[in-house]
């Protein structure tokens, strides 16, 4: 279907090109410079058509290999409940793009139906035994999909790797961040597309490179080192410079698939040849180092036969929160793609000083299907119309000042920022959001993620400063002040039933619930935790209960009216003083 769509698009492009030429022809008689412009336009369109044609042919070749490309999808690891890992694996196996590129073999409890039906056909005496499904004749998987739900720093991660069962080579992979477990479902289609697109590349003739876990010198556990190595392996695969052989926990899924295939269901001709994994001659050594106040990852590619170093790079980082982005940067530097790195950074960075330049930056981010991290640097104060981000890929958008505090004022009747599923909005130092007298929240989190850092401010909304309808809000620092919910509750922050608000730093002060409860924070069935160097002071006001924090979960209420400073931890799930309530 996708190939036909591409061909149809090419046909439409050809018609458009013919029309453009028809318009250009008469203009030749008018001016000498116009034909050059038309020729240039025609040439660009011809190049675009040729690129689209080549891509269609490449994808067609991928789909043609489907019959011999069997992929086992095992339950994802790391889920809080085993059922979640199975559910995600099954949802992924239903993806049409993935089914176009592979013959999929599920390895979840969905297989119970297979065994039950086989048993029924063989033993029930109610069906024709001559036509019953033969045991031990199933296909074996040539590839295995290893998926992990994990966390690095303050980011929730979904990592997928596809490995060759026999030679242990990684052929594709993808990584996405998410806020809540419910968001994962919406991210799977984009991850599947990315994986299928990666199959176009052929890594069989590339230098073989082993990627072991990152080496930490300090109090980090092995899981963090393994996660970063998985991310680095994925980015190296995407670079197309090496055939990558991860030495991470993803290999556990290969072993699990070995056990599945040698369990008696798979026909002998489809069984993998074990102990046939390739032995790379190159190994990548990545070590976290410290020099004074500078943190860095030093990476060296070593030839195992000669012991000689064949390449090396160093990339700075601040903390674990930078881990995934630093691994991407390190992979680009190791593969000699510094120009691409610089161009990518420039494309993802926007400097704005007016409503129009801000709108252009938002439009560029919304139209980018690649996803990843983006930065908007404010160089002036201005009013802006409400913004809603487009979730066509996993994106992290950081808004910050240019070294001094800059203000964006709300110029509309809706929330200044709406953060949907798949989007992470980070308010960093120097970013101030001002309500400007509008009866609307400044940030409405509707399934995505909001992070406030030191030096950021949310102020003067005639509604809850931050409204968390769904998704997560993490306050690492910053100030929420002078917001007034009228009518309603939750002057500073309103946390709805499916939302999570974690306060680890910063201050919530001087907010008002004019006709309700929870001057500082109102929790309507969601989850609220407070810890660390964070403060919700008693300057917050409420017409009813809980001028600092109020919780209502449908059956019981909790309230706090006295200030909750850095020494006070709070948890909406715990009753009484143990939860910080009065």
């Amino acid at each position: 279907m996708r190939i036909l769509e591409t061909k149809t698009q090419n046909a439409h492009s050809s018609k458009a090109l013919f029309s453009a030429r028809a318009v250009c022809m008469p203009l030749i008689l008018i001016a000498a410079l116009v034909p050059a412009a038309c020729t240039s336009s025609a040439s660009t369109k011809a190049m675009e058509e040729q690129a689209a044609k080549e891509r269609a042919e490449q994808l067609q070749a991928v789909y043609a290999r489907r019959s011999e490309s069997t992929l086992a999808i095992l339950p994802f690891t790391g889920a809080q409940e085993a059922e979640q890992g199975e559910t995600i694996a099954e949802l992924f196996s239903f993806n049409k793009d993935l089914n176009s590129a592979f013959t999929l073999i599920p390895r979840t409890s969905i297989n119970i139906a297979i065994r039950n039906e086989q048993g029924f056909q063989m033993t029930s005496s109610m069906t024709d035994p001559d036509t019953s499904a033969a045991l031990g004749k199933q296909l074996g998987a040539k590839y295995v999909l290893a998926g992990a739900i994990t966390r690095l720093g303050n980011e929730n991660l979904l990592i997928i790797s596809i490995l060759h069962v026999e030679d242990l080579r990684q052929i594709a992979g993808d990584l996405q961040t998410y806020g809540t477990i419910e968001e994962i479902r919406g991210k799977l289609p984009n991850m599947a597309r990315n994986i299928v697109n990666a199959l176009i590349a052929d890594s069989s003739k590339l230098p073989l490179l082993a990627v072991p876990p990152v080496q930490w010198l300090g109090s980090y556990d092995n899981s963090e080192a393994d996660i970063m190595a998985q991310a680095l392996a994925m980015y190296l695969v995407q670079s197309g410079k090496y055939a990558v052989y991860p030495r991470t926990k993803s290999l556990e899924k290969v072993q699990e698939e070995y056990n599945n295939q040698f369990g008696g269901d798979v026909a002998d001709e489809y069984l993998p040849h074990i102990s046939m994994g390739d032995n790379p001659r190159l190994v990548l050594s990545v070590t976290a180092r410290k020099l004074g106040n500078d943190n860095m990852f030093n990476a060296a590619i070593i030839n195992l036969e000669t012991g000689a170093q064949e390449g090396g790079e160093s990339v700075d980082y601040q903390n674990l929160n930078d881990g995934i982005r630093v691994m991407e940067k390190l992979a680009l530097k190791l593969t000699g793609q510094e120009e691409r790195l610089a161009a990518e950074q420039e494309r993802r960075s926007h400097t704005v000083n007016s409503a129009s330049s801000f709108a252009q930056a938002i439009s560029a981010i919304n139209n980018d299907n690649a996803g990843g991290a983006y930065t908007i640097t404010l160089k002036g104060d201005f009013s802006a119309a409400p913004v809603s981000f487009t979730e066509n890929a996993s994106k992290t958008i950081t808004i910050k000042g240019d070294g001094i505090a800059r203000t964006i004022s709300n110029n509309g009747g809706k929330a200044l920022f709406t953060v949907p599923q798949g989007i992470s909005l980070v308010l960093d130092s120097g970013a101030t959001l001002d309500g400007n007298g509008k009866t609307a929240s400044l940030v409405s989190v509707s399934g995505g993620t909001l992070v406030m850092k030191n030096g950021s401010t949310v102020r003067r909304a005639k509604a809850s400063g931050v409204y968390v309808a769904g998704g997560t809000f993490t306050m690492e620092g910053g100030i929420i002040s002078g917001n007034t919910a009228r009518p309603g509750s939750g002057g500073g922050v309103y946390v709805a039933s499916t939302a999570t608000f974690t306060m680890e730093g910063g201050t919530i002060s001087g907010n008002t619930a004019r006709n309700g409860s929870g001057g500082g924070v109102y929790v309507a069935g969601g989850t609220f935790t407070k810890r660390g160097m964070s403060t919700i002071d008693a300057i917050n006001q409420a017409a009813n209960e809980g001028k600092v924090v109020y919780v209502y979960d449908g059956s019981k209420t909790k309230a706090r009216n006295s200030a909750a400073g850095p020494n006070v931890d709070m948890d909406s799930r715990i009753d009484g003083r143990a939860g910080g309530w009065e």
Side-chain angles (χ1 to χ4, degrees), residues 15-189:
K15 291 179 181 179
L17 178 58
F18 178 79
S19 299
R21 286 172 177 166
V23 172
C24 288
M25 290 300 292
L27 297 180
I28 298 176
L29 303 175
I30 300 175
L33 294 177
V34 175
C38 292
T39 302
S40 175
S41 176
S43 175
T44 300
K45 290 183 178 180
M47 292 174 63
E48 291 175 351
E49 288 181 352
Q50 181 62 28
K53 180 180 178 181
E54 291 176 357
R55 181 165 187 76
E57 292 174 348
Q58 290 171 331
L59 284 173
Q60 195 168 21
V62 169
Y63 299 150
R65 296 195 299 267
R66 176 183 181 273
S67 60
E68 61 186 50
S69 298
T70 46
L71 174 67
I73 301 183
L74 282 73
F76 282 51
T77 61
Q80 293 182 350
E81 302 173 12
E83 183 181 359
Q84 293 176 342
E86 290 213 345
T87 300
I88 295 169
E90 289 170 2
L91 290 172
F92 207 65
S93 73
F94 301 153
N95 180 268
K96 293 181 179 179
D97 290 321
L98 213 59
N99 275 275
S100 296
F102 292 98
T103 297
L104 300 185
I105 302 175
R107 296 298 191 199
T108 66
S109 56
I110 203 170
N111 284 345
I112 294 174
I114 298 175
R115 292 195 176 278
N116 288 344
E117 179 59 20
Q118 286 176 332
F120 178 82
Q121 292 185 22
M122 296 293 293
T123 64
S124 70
S125 300
M126 299 175 69
T127 63
D128 183 355
D130 292 334
T131 61
S132 62
L135 300 179
K137 296 296 184 181
Q138 293 181 8
L139 294 173
K142 185 176 181 180
Y143 302 99
V144 62
L145 185 147
I149 304 165
T150 187
R151 186 172 177 86
L152 187 66
N154 62 7
E155 286 190 320
N156 296 322
L157 302 174
L158 182 65
I159 302 179
I160 292 175
S161 304
I162 294 185
L163 304 172
H164 194 286
V165 170
E166 290 187 346
D167 66 21
L168 306 183
R169 172 170 45 96
Q170 182 170 337
I171 65 166
D174 198 33
L175 179 154
Q176 300 278 340
T177 61
Y178 69 93
T180 63
I181 193 73
E182 292 81 8
E183 288 183 31
I184 290 178
R185 185 176 188 178
K187 294 182 178 295
L188 297 179

Side-chain angles (χ1 to χ4, degrees), residues 504-519:
E504 300 173 343
T507 300
I508 299 176
S509 174
N511 302 282
T512 303
R514 179 163 291 185
N515 303 107
S517 302

Side-chain angles (χ1 to χ4, degrees), residues 253-268:
K253 289 297 181 181
V254 176
Q255 183 61 57
E256 189 175 338
E257 180 56 20
Y258 283 163
N259 297 338
N260 286 328
Q261 295 196 32
F262 284 94
D265 290 332
V266 175
D268 290 344

Side-chain angles (χ1 to χ4, degrees), residues 423-435:
I423 302 296
S424 295
L425 176 63
V426 180
L427 300 179
D428 210 339
S429 178
T432 296
L433 307 185
D434 189 280

